[in-house]
Amino acid sequence: MTSADARLTAAEAAESADSGEAVGIPSLQETISGLAAALGQGTTVARETTRLGLELTRIGWGLSGVAPAKGDRRFTDPAWTSNPVFRMIQQSYLASTGAMDRIVAAMGDGRSDARAEQAQFTANVVTSAAAPTNFLMTNPAALKRAFDTGGMSLARGTRNFARDVRHNGAMPSMIEPDAFEVGRDLAVSPGAVVARDEVAEVLQYAPVTDTVFERPVLVVPPPIGRYYFLDLRPGRSFVEYAVGRGLPTFMLSWRNPTPRQGSWDLDTYAQTVLAAIDTVREITGSPDVNLIGFCAGGIIATTVLSHLAAAGDDRVHSMSYAVTLLDFGLRAPITAFSGRGLLAFAGRRSRRKGIITSRQMGSAFTWMRPDDLVFNYWVNNYLMGEKPPAFDILAWNADGTNLPGALHGQFLDIFAGNLLARPGALSVLGTPLHLQDITVPAFVTGAVTDHLTPWKGCYQTTRLLGGPTAFVLSYSGHIASLVNPPGNPKAHYWTGSPPGADPEQWLAGAEKHQGSWWEAWADWVTARAGQRQPQPGMLGSERHPVLCPAPGLYVHDAGPA
């Protein structure tokens, strides 16, 4: 595997880690019932069984053309094509999973369908677990490694497995503990904490240009998961890029809640965003700010915008959305988590412990990508006896946070009832939510292979808001689209005309660009950032003095002395 492939694998491994989108954990009964419904399609099952039987016969005679999909890294060893036994094993597996995929796909009709997605979720887990690469005797690369090392790879794999049973909930580790340190390796952009309350810190980043724009940017990250996926390392930092474009940049760093904060809800987080807006305005002297919300941070920012619109308050000049889903009405893999059992689970968890832990939230979304997020590491750690890779995005992934039970329950309600898209169905800060009343200019992004917030769902945001909108479609998936610095030769994005009703029609007329959507966003927001002026000589202000250096205390689960 090349270093570029390894970096891609790391990004894919973190796709499900953005727990800002996490809304629940599917029950075993719901997932199994979905698969049972798929297998209950008598005509479809009979047709696919006959088709599979014929294909297995061709495989037995060596006449089958079944092959892995392009990019399937499980079957890269030459033995899968050169050895007739391994080729037969591989083709039989692929033919069987293809039949299962077609049976499950026959349930879908393009609409939001929890049962179909539950069937797909379960089928993905079952077929991924059954891959021959997951077993020593049917994995030629693992057999070769065991022979070449005199069995030491298996001994190391056994030690790795025992360690994960003790310390990682029996799940394969994605990264070695302590491979990176926040403040030393990660989240190192110069800056300071300029405000702190019990919910969040406000970070101000040091300018690096002689002049800066008048109107600042406030970044609202998701409330679960540390903010520093936006400030990983030099060269891979959204913060670094923003200040490099002359934008005065501020960041909210949410506190990791404990059971004592289990009652925190949308009102709590929205009020904190409002307070942060006022802090940024006071420090910069700007009457208003440009907001950008990432993932579920965009949901929170949207409730703030609706509240401000109802009051005729113009403290926000523009809004940007980075892979934020406001309309949950389209069918998506995440629909597998919309069953009634999830609402009951959230209620029980909230009453009993007050929080949803990062492990509980992350486990469901890990199993949405079992090949990349589970069995890839199963093979690497246990069959090959290797240490997990050391990648910054995986270190962030492992550094999870909790979600207050009250907020989690509200997210579940929003998801199950599609409340954001229904005018007046949700109230925050005492104000009914009406997205059409939000008339500030909006910049909306989606990612073409995003499995958490599908791009067509993100596109719907342009139809829900009442002001002018621009849409940009990024390549890759959820997290890879966010940690997306310019300079990656594989990176590209699409821009087009003002969004209309049909996303496919928009894409057909869009222009493809090499580079990162960060560049398109910066061009868009700097056009709305006022004039350039000399950079300030200090961080903070007399009213909001520097409290401590960035990355602050809350990112370390610490508090002021």
Side-chain angles (χ1 to χ4, degrees):
M1 181 181 294
T2 67
S3 60
D5 289 336
R7 284 192 295 273
L8 179 59
T9 302
E12 290 174 343
E15 288 299 284
S16 292
D18 183 53
S19 301
E21 305 301 338
V23 291
I25 300 176
S27 71
L28 182 62
Q29 178 182 355
E30 287 169 331
T31 54
I32 291 178
S33 67
L35 184 58
L39 296 177
Q41 303 174 98
T43 303
T44 301
V45 171
R47 181 181 68 247
E48 291 300 331
T49 300
T50 301
R51 180 176 177 180
L52 176 60
L54 293 173
E55 189 62 48
L56 291 176
T57 300
R58 286 192 288 269
I59 291 171
W61 285 100
L63 302 175
S64 174
V66 173
K70 183 180 180 181
D72 189 340
R73 292 183 291 270
R74 296 175 298 176
F75 300 105
T76 56
D77 191 277
W80 290 114
T81 54
S82 63
N83 184 296
V85 174
F86 281 117
R87 183 172 63 248
M88 185 180 299
I89 292 171
Q90 176 208 66
Q91 289 183 322
S92 298
Y93 166 74
L94 294 173
S96 300
T97 57
M100 177 64 77
D101 289 343
R102 289 188 294 272
I103 290 170
V104 173
M107 295 181 66
D109 60 3
R111 297 173 300 178
S112 179
D113 188 342
R115 181 61 62 87
E117 291 301 338
Q118 288 162 359
Q120 186 66 67
F121 175 85
T122 309
N124 285 346
V125 173
V126 171
T127 56
S128 293
T133 48
N134 297 333
F135 306 95
L136 176 63
M137 298 310 297
T138 52
N139 186 321
L143 288 171
K144 292 175 187 175
R145 179 65 60 85
F147 179 81
D148 292 342
T149 63
M152 288 304 299
S153 61
L154 300 181
R156 290 193 298 266
T158 300
R159 289 197 298 268
N160 290 343
F161 178 75
R163 182 188 63 183
D164 286 339
V165 169
R166 291 196 305 268
H167 303 297
N168 199 46
M171 291 289 288
S173 296
M174 293 185 184
I175 192 169
E176 282 284 282
D178 304 321
F180 296 93
E181 180 180 331
V182 175
R184 182 196 68 192
D185 309 296
L186 310 173
V188 296
S189 290
V193 175
V194 292
R196 179 189 295 121
D197 61 20
E198 66 170 350
V199 181
E201 293 176 321
V202 179
L203 306 179
Q204 180 184 10
Y205 290 98
V208 297
T209 53
D210 292 335
T211 61
V212 296
F213 287 96
E214 293 176 310
R215 186 171 289 116
V217 170
L218 174 61
V219 182
V220 184
I224 185 168
R226 313 286 183 177
Y227 79 86
Y228 64 83
F229 73 95
L230 298 170
D231 186 29
L232 277 176
R233 288 190 290 169
R236 285 169 54 77
S237 168
F238 177 84
V239 168
E240 177 188 52
Y241 182 77
V243 296
R245 291 292 300 264
L247 291 164
T249 303
F250 294 77
M251 174 80 70
L252 275 165
S253 173
W254 301 110
R255 183 178 179 180
N256 188 16
T258 68
R260 289 181 297 176
Q261 288 88 42
S263 62
W264 289 357
D265 58 9
L266 276 171
D267 281 353
T268 308
Y269 284 84
Q271 188 59 56
T272 301
V273 173
L274 278 175
I277 290 171
D278 288 340
T279 296
V280 173
R281 292 168 62 222
E282 192 279 327
I283 290 174
T284 62
S286 174
D288 53 15
V289 306
N290 291 313
L291 281 185
I292 179 168
F294 285 79
C295 312
I299 293 178
I300 296 171
T302 298
T303 67
V304 172
L305 291 175
S306 179
H307 174 73
L308 293 177
D313 193 315
D314 58 2
R315 276 180 274 179
V316 175
H317 184 76
S318 77
M319 177 68 203
S320 300
Y321 292 93
V323 292
T324 294
L325 203 61
L326 300 183
D327 187 343
F328 293 92
L330 298 179
R331 181 180 174 186
I334 201 172
T335 313
F337 308 117
S338 64
R340 290 176 295 177
L342 302 183
L343 297 176
F345 170 84
R348 290 194 302 270
R349 170 61 59 177
S350 180
R351 288 191 298 270
R352 186 165 71 249
K353 292 190 175 180
I355 58 171
I356 305 300
T357 68
S358 59
R359 175 170 290 180
Q360 290 163 338
M361 296 293 284
S363 63
F365 286 83
T366 294
W367 286 105
M368 287 182 70
R369 297 282 297 277
D371 283 342
D372 294 326
L373 306 181
V374 180
F375 296 110
N376 175 45
Y377 295 94
W378 173 278
V379 172
N380 178 80
N381 299 2
Y382 307 151
L383 300 189
M384 305 297 288
E386 298 288 347
K387 293 181 178 180
F391 289 111
D392 49 15
I393 193 65
L394 295 183
W396 167 79
N397 178 15
D399 188 15
T401 62
N402 307 319
L403 194 68
L407 182 63
H408 180 255
Q410 286 179 308
F411 278 160
L412 281 170
D413 290 340
I414 288 170
F415 181 69
N418 201 17
L419 301 184
L420 300 177
R422 293 168 48 197
L426 178 72
S427 291
V428 177
L429 299 177
T431 305
L433 189 70
H434 290 275
L435 298 187
Q436 277 293 313
D437 292 344
I438 299 173
T439 57
V440 298
F443 180 94
V444 181
T445 74
V448 69
T449 59
D450 192 333
H451 70 294
L452 288 179
T453 57
W455 78 268
K456 292 181 183 178
C458 294
Y459 183 93
Q460 286 299 109
T461 296
T462 66
R463 314 299 301 160
L464 294 173
L465 302 177
T469 59
F471 184 75
V472 171
L473 180 61
S474 175
Y475 91 118
S476 74
H478 195 77
I479 294 299
S481 75
L482 299 179
V483 184
N484 189 12
N488 179 355
K490 294 183 179 180
H492 52 273
Y493 62 95
W494 291 264
T495 63
S497 58
D502 186 352
E504 288 289 357
Q505 183 178 355
W506 177 90
L507 181 58
E511 180 181 358
K512 182 178 178 180
H513 308 268
Q514 290 301 120
S516 167
W517 69 267
W518 293 4
E519 300 167 271
W521 169 78
D523 291 343
W524 184 89
V525 78
T526 54
R528 292 159 179 80
Q531 301 298 312
R532 298 191 77 118
Q533 59 189 12
Q535 64 154 280
M538 58 178 286
L539 299 180
S541 66
E542 182 176 351
R543 182 176 172 186
H544 293 97
V546 169
L547 302 179
C548 69
L553 301 180
Y554 285 172
V555 75
H556 296 292
D557 290 338

